Amino acid sequence: MVDDDLDAKFQEAFEIASNMKKKLPPDVMLRLYAYYKQAVKGDDQPLLNANISELRSAFKINAWIQLRGMDSDEAKREYIKLVQSIIS
């Protein structure tokens, strides 16, 4: 099944990204975070409000919110593509 293949590739890309030794630029890390969250949680994003004390959390949530409406499979494909571009 095509979805099983995508899920396996996504899981493999996640393992590669999680075990990466080199330090990635913040914008790349935010994109990885956002694609991952969109792939596994979809549009079920927390509200961004004034109670967020950490600027880092606000950036992460904002990156994810920008992907609102992207379906899970597309987010997985973009995550895989991004990881492949990092390791190439």
Side-chain angles (χ1 to χ4, degrees):
M1 183 179 239
V2 173
D3 288 337
D4 291 339
D5 188 44
L6 179 60
D7 289 341
K9 287 180 180 177
F10 177 70
Q11 186 59 41
E12 181 182 348
F14 174 73
E15 293 297 326
I16 290 169
S18 296
N19 295 311
M20 205 167 282
K21 301 286 187 230
K22 72 178 183 179
K23 186 165 172 63
L24 300 174
D27 64 314
V28 173
M29 297 207 38
L30 282 173
R31 287 172 42 213
L32 284 170
Y33 173 84
Y35 286 134
Y36 178 83
K37 286 299 218 179
Q38 191 65 22
V40 299
K41 294 208 178 232
D43 287 341
D44 187 21
Q45 301 150 339
L47 294 175
L48 185 59
N49 60 42
N51 294 331
I52 294 178
S53 60
E54 276 192 61
L55 185 58
R56 181 176 176 212
S57 293
F59 278 117
K60 288 168 68 175
I61 293 169
N62 184 52
W64 182 15
I65 287 172
Q66 291 179 35
L67 300 180
R68 184 171 281 154
M70 178 182 283
D71 71 36
S72 176
D73 286 351
E74 184 180 354
K76 288 177 184 179
R77 284 190 291 274
E78 291 299 320
Y79 185 93
I80 293 165
K81 212 182 327 182
L82 181 56
V83 170
Q84 288 173 340
S85 74
I86 293 167
I87 62 174
S88 298

